[in-house]
Amino acid sequence: QKEVEQDPGPLSVPEGAIVSLNCTYSNSAFQYFMWYRQYSRKGPELLMYTYSSGNKEDGRFTAQVDKSSKYISLFIRDSQPSDSATYLCASGGTSYGKLTFGQGTILTVHP
Amino acid sequence: KAGVTQTPRYLIKTRGQQVTLSCSPISGHRSVSWYQQTPGQGLQFLFEYFSETQRNKGNFPGRFSGRQFSNSRSEMNVSTLELGDSALYLCASRAQENTEAFFGQGTRLTVV
């Protein structure tokens, strides 16, 4: 079993929809969580960083962490075609410098 | 503020050769981590350096090595290249542990 599980999709939504992306993790020692967006042939771009359970909002993005159920989510409001990318969740805090990634969810937002 | 810079962006090497990749972190960041990204395995942790010391290493063979210089720039080296080493190699820069990790654009290595 992978330490971080993420549904690879693909996920296709119309422009303007609310997108929900989810990950589960098995290691209760994970302390912090990040969401990245990766366009084809580019490096991952950091979207959100969260350290505790609860919600964190930044513009159209909301990250949600529930440590009791080991569940992390990213919500994208008013999705745009430019949001079409692979979204990666990552967990860390168990060893120096190491992030454990989910497999990534491929998202397509069509006009 | 400049981001994480990785050079070169693309490389084509022959099996058996060795390769060196470079990463310049964000100014002031002392932690550099390296990852390998492949379609089948996703992003896998290679190693992490902080203030010129390797603090952590992932499950990769000894052909994969790295170092960090006093200006925090880091290099990773892969010796005796194999076809399976073809991947996108990414480095991540952090100010300190438990803070945000920022990635470079990666070096795409193709082994033929």
Side-chain angles (χ1 to χ4, degrees):
Chain A
Q1 183 192 7
K2 291 182 182 291
E3 285 190 294
V4 179
E5 299 275 5
Q6 184 175 8
D7 186 342
L11 186 61
S12 181
V13 301
E15 182 175 356
I18 296 174
V19 176
S20 173
L21 303 165
N22 308 294
C23 290
T24 58
Y25 63 94
S26 57
N27 191 340
S28 58
F30 285 138
Q31 298 178 33
Y32 53 84
F33 308 89
M34 302 188 211
W35 282 97
Y36 291 88
R37 176 173 64 192
Q38 186 174 25
Y39 294 112
S40 181
R41 311 190 77 80
K42 301 286 188 181
E45 172 193 3
L46 179 65
L47 293 174
M48 300 290 281
Y49 168 88
T50 54
Y51 199 89
S52 57
S53 284
N55 293 352
K56 181 178 180 180
E57 189 173 319
D58 184 0
R60 297 185 296 113
F61 300 95
T62 299
Q64 193 173 78
V65 175
D66 183 343
K67 289 189 174 181
S68 62
S69 58
K70 301 188 182 68
Y71 198 83
I72 56 178
S73 301
L74 179 71
F75 299 95
I76 307 174
R77 290 181 298 280
D78 188 26
S79 56
Q80 303 296 309
S82 59
D83 294 326
S84 298
T86 297
Y87 288 79
L88 297 153
C89 61
S91 304
T94 59
S95 59
Y96 286 123
K98 180 181 178 181
L99 294 175
T100 302
F101 283 84
Q103 282 294 98
T105 299
I106 300 171
L107 171 68
T108 301
V109 181
H110 52 85
Chain B
K1 194 173 185 181
V4 181
T5 303
Q6 290 189 246
T7 57
R9 290 292 312 279
Y10 302 93
L11 267 178
I12 300 176
K13 290 287 187 179
T14 304
R15 271 183 304 174
Q17 287 186 314
Q18 73 166 13
V19 66
T20 299
L21 313 181
S22 179
C23 172
S24 292
I26 292 169
S27 179
H29 286 192
R30 294 159 66 188
S31 169
V32 174
S33 298
W34 288 89
Y35 291 81
Q36 181 194 66
Q37 186 176 30
T38 59
Q41 298 298 317
L43 274 131
Q44 293 187 288
F45 173 75
L46 281 156
F47 28 66
E48 188 256 7
Y49 287 87
F50 185 89
S51 294
E52 302 180 68
T53 301
Q54 185 184 89
R55 296 194 300 184
N56 200 3
K57 190 177 192 310
N59 295 324
F60 279 83
R63 300 185 297 106
F64 292 82
S65 62
R67 58 178 175 169
Q68 186 180 34
F69 302 96
S70 58
N71 61 357
S72 293
R73 189 178 70 87
S74 178
E75 289 181 347
M76 69 163 281
N77 184 276
V78 188
S79 62
T80 320
L81 284 165
E82 301 177 359
L83 294 179
D85 296 333
S86 295
L88 181 66
Y89 290 88
L90 294 158
C91 82
S93 162
R94 306 170 84 160
Q96 54 190 344
E97 191 60 26
N98 295 354
T99 59
E100 295 93 330
F102 299 93
F103 282 85
Q105 295 294 347
T107 294
R108 183 162 298 278
L109 172 65
T110 302
V111 182
V112 298

